[in-house]
Amino acid sequence: MINSSASSDDSVVATAAASAGADVVRSLYGRRLTRIDKGAGDFATAADVEAEKAIADVIRAARPDDAVVGEEGGQQGAADAVRQWLVDPLCGTLNYAVGSMLVAVNVALRDGAAAVADPFSGEVFFTDGTSAWVRRDGVDEPLVPTAATSLVDVNLDPPFVNRPGFRAVDLLAHPAFVERFRPRVVSTTLALAWVAAGKRAAYVTDGADLTDSVHFAAGIALCRAAGCVVTGVDGAPAGAEGRGLVVAADAETHGQLMSMIRS
């Protein structure tokens, strides 16, 4: 736990909050957890709820005047607060519920610092909004994207707001994709942190404007700070102009994927 006098660095707050959430997720792993139905096949578990509480406690202690927008609890704090934290306490809930460890804890200050914690590897990926690092066993190293793996994560979950012009499943069958890349589907935005860290060459997902999404904001911030190319599936800058995401380790990889999407 930290407090407002401990550090003026928002990345410290983001990292501490994400780590607190990851501790909860890890501690509850493997237990029989009640599912909280959200409709349309979506649900949360007690791990989602408890992790979000732990994250919010850290943020409130360090930044009492800031607002928190959580996936489970919604808006906490003043609706007109200048500073808002976007929290996804457990990205990959279905994975988690069936015993898969492919999950992430996402914490992002809107237009600022962010952190993504992997509860099971112990890695915490974080940015101050300018540079990006990964913390392993208490040691911080800069994130260095690379397309060397040729692995591309593609999100196949709905909504499919850009069809028929874009369908992620069609990209997987594109002859040039099969020749150049190898697809992966992990169903968690941990994959965005992996692009920033050089574990993936790219990440592609459908969607609308995802830059202020509790699911995607932290990963997008990491990738931008690490020097990745971040656009919508239409090639426009991610944000109000762009829809969905094409995040690549370098311009060459991004260009190749955009060529396939456009064809």
Side-chain angles (χ1 to χ4, degrees), residues 13-143:
V13 179
T15 302
S19 297
D23 287 345
V24 173
V25 170
R26 188 169 52 253
S27 69
L28 295 177
Y29 177 74
R31 300 188 188 184
R32 187 182 297 275
L33 300 174
T34 301
R35 297 190 180 190
I36 304 164
D37 183 36
K38 295 183 177 181
D42 192 15
F43 63 91
T45 70
D48 299 71
V49 175
E50 293 304 316
E52 185 168 303
K53 289 179 180 177
I55 292 167
D57 285 347
V58 172
I59 295 172
R60 278 196 294 265
R63 301 289 187 266
D65 295 328
D66 293 359
V68 176
V69 180
E71 180 183 11
E72 310 308 332
Q75 177 84 28
Q76 303 174 48
D80 60 350
V82 174
R83 290 162 48 94
Q84 292 191 333
W85 293 84
L86 307 175
V87 174
D88 181 0
L90 177 50
C91 186
T93 300
L94 180 55
N95 287 349
Y96 185 80
V98 299
S100 170
M101 295 181 178
L102 291 172
V103 301
V105 177
N106 298 320
V107 178
L109 176 64
R110 194 187 300 269
D111 300 322
V116 176
D118 181 338
F120 299 104
S121 75
E123 295 173 312
V124 183
F125 308 87
F126 63 99
T127 176
D128 59 2
T130 302
S131 301
W133 302 271
V134 59
R135 179 168 298 165
R136 300 186 185 95
D137 299 322
V139 178
D140 296 346
E141 299 177 356
L143 292 179

